[in-house]
């Protein structure tokens, strides 16, 4: 794959931040196209426009617009030299994928909820984020219209991602629990994956780059409940200077209690919602609803999350017998085996 990699992104996009932090850590050079620069450069458009969008050559040498950070991260791991962001141990790599998906598909709901539910957060996001696409010298009238258009569009999407008056307490208590779990882990380890970061670290960083460092309501909670996590997020942005040892990963045979507790948290909402989504998709439904321990969860179905579940199940199935037995013990101990085994 040709470097520098070329991509379009924006600082207010958690997945852009995930991939930028990954590339910095892996010492992959890149060209970052902000705002309308990609269109001006005549770049192709993806089927669904998402940030970040990478512009990569396919086998025929054609430039393609490629989205979705999870498969991209794996493709870069295989095709671009640099230090590894995926654990060598297959069991640890599976749990790295699982926590990456939890951050990308669940923690992002917290991010969206805090940004578009509370007045100070709406004010900050709608005033500043449009300037990233329109440019700082944007025309005043266009700027005023963009603020109103952007905030309305995002606020209207709250129920689609599952945020409504019934689920609000569930999202907010889940965020505070997550902060406590992360802080307990970071009091013993530099990264989720040990003394070096994995995909899950970059995904969690991407969401926290917004929750802990941009949106004021969730940021205050992070400072109050999780000072280490707040500090970690600042640090994750640029790990280009971090020196890592080959064997600095967690020992998969003895995962720390703090990581086991974080995995157990996935049973609260992420696992049942991912399963309910996959089942609703199979029935061709546009909406899903599932009773969680703390209340009813309702959201629009997400085709991409159906794929995420398949990828996780495929990765588990590809483990050799000894690794599968080992991973199974961790899944059962943490109460999240349904994600892999429940019938759809
Ligand atoms: N699955 C994608 C998700 C990317 C995504 O959702 N990006 C958001 C910004 S952070 C976006 O572009 N949303 C477009 C929209 O809301 O219309 C990934 O992993 O990269």
């Amino acid at each position: 794959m040709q470097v520098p990699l070329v991509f379009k992104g924006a600082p207010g996009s958690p997945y852009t931040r995930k991939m930028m932090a990954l590339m910095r850590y892996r010492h992959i050079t890149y060209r970052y196209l902000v705002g309308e620069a990609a269109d001006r450069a005549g770049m192709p458009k993806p089927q669904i426009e998402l940030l970040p969008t990478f512009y990569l050559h396919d086998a025929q040498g054609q430039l393609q617009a490629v989205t979705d950070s999870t498969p991209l991260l794996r493709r870069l791991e295989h095709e671009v030299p640099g230090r590894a962001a995926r654990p060598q141990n297959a069991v640890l790599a599976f749990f790295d994928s699982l926590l990456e998906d939890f951050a990308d598909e669940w923690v992002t709901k917290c991010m969206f909820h805090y940004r578009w539910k509370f007045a100070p957060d709406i004010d900050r996001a709608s005033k500043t984020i449009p300037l990233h696409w329109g440019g700082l010298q944007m025309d005043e009238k266009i700027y005023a219209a963009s603020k109103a258009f952007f905030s309305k569009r995002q606020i209207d999407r709250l129920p689609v991602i599952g945020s409504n008056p019934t689920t609000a307490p569930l999202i907010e208590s889940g965020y505070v629990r997550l902060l406590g779990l992360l802080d307990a882990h970071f009091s013993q380890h530099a990264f989720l994956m040990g003394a070096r970061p994995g995909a899950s670290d970059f995904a969690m960083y991407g969401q926290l780059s917004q929750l802990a460092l941009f949106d004021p309501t969730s940021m205050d909670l992070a400072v109050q409940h999780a000072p280490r996590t707040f500090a970690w997020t600042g640090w994750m942005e640029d790990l280009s200077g971090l020196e890592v040892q080959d064997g600095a990963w967690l020992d998969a045979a003895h995962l720390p209690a703090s990581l086991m507790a974080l995995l157990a948290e996935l049973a609260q909402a992420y696992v049942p919602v991912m399963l309910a989504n996959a089942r609703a998709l199979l029935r061709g439904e546009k909406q899903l609803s599932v009773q969680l321990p703390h209340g009813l969860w309702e959201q629009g179905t997400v085709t991409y999350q159906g794929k995420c579940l398949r990828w996780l199940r495929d990765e588990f199935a590809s483990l050799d017998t000894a690794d599968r037995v080992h991973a199974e013990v961790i899944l059962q101990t943490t109460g999240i085996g349904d994600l892999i085994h429940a019938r759809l």
Side-chain angles (χ1 to χ4, degrees):
M1 197 181 283
Q2 268 174 8
V3 284
L5 296 179
V6 183
F7 76 102
K8 166 164 121 173
S13 146
Y15 304 94
T16 298
R17 302 287 287 271
K18 170 186 176 184
M19 295 305 282
M20 286 179 72
L22 171 86
M23 291 185 290
R24 284 175 164 172
Y25 170 67
R26 296 201 56 218
H27 298 155
I28 299 173
T29 55
Y30 56 77
R31 261 180 69 208
Y32 180 21
L33 306 179
V34 189
E36 283 154 6
D39 296 337
R40 279 199 304 274
M43 292 295 178
K45 286 194 190 306
Q47 276 176 341
I48 303 175
E49 293 220 36
L50 290 174
L51 298 178
T53 297
F54 280 71
Y55 304 99
L56 304 174
H57 290 97
D58 64 14
Q60 286 71 43
Q62 288 288 323
L63 201 58
Q64 302 287 350
V66 184
T67 59
D68 294 328
S69 58
T70 295
L72 266 164
L73 184 149
R74 283 152 186 74
R75 190 169 160 194
L76 299 190
E77 195 78 3
H78 292 121
E79 298 183 25
V80 189
R83 48 195 181 171
R86 293 277 293 149
Q88 281 133 0
N89 178 285
V91 174
L92 190 63
F94 169 72
F95 287 101
D96 183 43
S97 295
L98 183 51
L99 289 170
E100 177 189 22
D101 198 60
F102 166 69
D104 283 349
E105 307 306 327
W106 182 263
V107 183
T108 198
K109 293 179 189 299
C110 299
M111 186 250 129
F112 203 85
H113 170 82
Y114 280 105
R115 177 164 296 171
W116 298 111
K117 164 138 196 267
F118 299 100
D121 307 75
I122 295 171
D123 185 59
R124 181 173 296 182
S126 55
K127 263 188 195 148
T128 62
I129 294 177
L131 295 169
H132 287 144
W133 328 309
L136 307 187
Q137 289 81 39
M138 195 171 183
D139 173 87
E140 266 315 312
K141 281 210 190 82
I142 299 178
Y143 174 44
S146 316
K147 281 192 279 196
F149 169 80
F150 178 53
S151 54
K152 179 175 182 331
R153 187 187 84 147
Q154 302 298 78
I155 292 165
D156 287 349
R157 284 188 53 187
L158 277 170
V160 181
I161 65 109
S163 163
N164 60 51
T166 315
T167 58
L170 206 148
I171 297 173
E172 291 163 24
S173 58
Y175 174 59
V176 171
R177 275 199 313 277
L178 173 64
L179 288 172
L181 290 162
L182 290 173
D183 239 46
H185 184 77
F186 295 139
S187 72
Q188 305 291 323
H189 304 275
F191 302 102
L192 292 174
M193 288 296 113
R196 57 184 294 175
S200 55
D201 286 282
F202 294 104
M204 192 64 79
Y205 160 71
Q207 301 303 325
L208 288 170
S209 69
Q210 312 300 312
L211 281 160
L213 300 187
F214 181 81
D215 300 295
T217 304
S218 49
M219 192 168 169
D220 284 350
L221 289 166
V223 175
Q224 194 187 326
H225 294 279
R228 288 178 187 82
T229 307
F230 182 93
W232 177 86
T233 309
W235 189 40
M236 277 297 294
E237 174 162 21
D238 184 357
L239 295 178
S240 55
L242 183 78
E243 288 181 25
V244 291
Q245 309 294 325
D246 278 352
W249 302 105
L250 292 178
D251 177 0
H254 303 281
L255 288 186
S258 55
L259 199 83
M260 295 295 277
L262 180 58
L263 288 170
E265 171 64 21
L266 275 52
Q268 294 295 319
Y270 164 81
V271 169
V273 172
M274 290 294 279
L275 291 172
N277 180 64
R279 289 173 181 141
L281 286 172
L282 284 173
R283 291 194 296 264
E285 290 165 6
K286 295 255 176 298
Q287 189 73 14
L288 70 91
S289 112
V290 56
Q291 191 63 44
L292 299 181
H294 302 288
L296 186 71
W297 184 271
E298 287 180 311
Q299 68 165 71
T301 45
V302 186
T303 310
Y304 179 76
Q305 286 174 0
K307 274 202 237 175
C308 295
L309 180 59
R310 273 206 304 283
W311 291 331
L312 289 169
R313 288 184 166 201
D314 289 349
E315 187 171 343
F316 182 82
S318 74
L319 295 174
D320 70 25
T321 311
D323 283 346
R324 205 166 333 127
V325 169
H326 179 190
E328 189 63 51
V329 172
I330 299 170
L331 287 174
Q332 295 310 324
T333 313
T334 53
I336 55 173
D338 277 358
L339 185 77
I340 302 303
H341 302 303
R343 281 190 61 160
L344 298 180

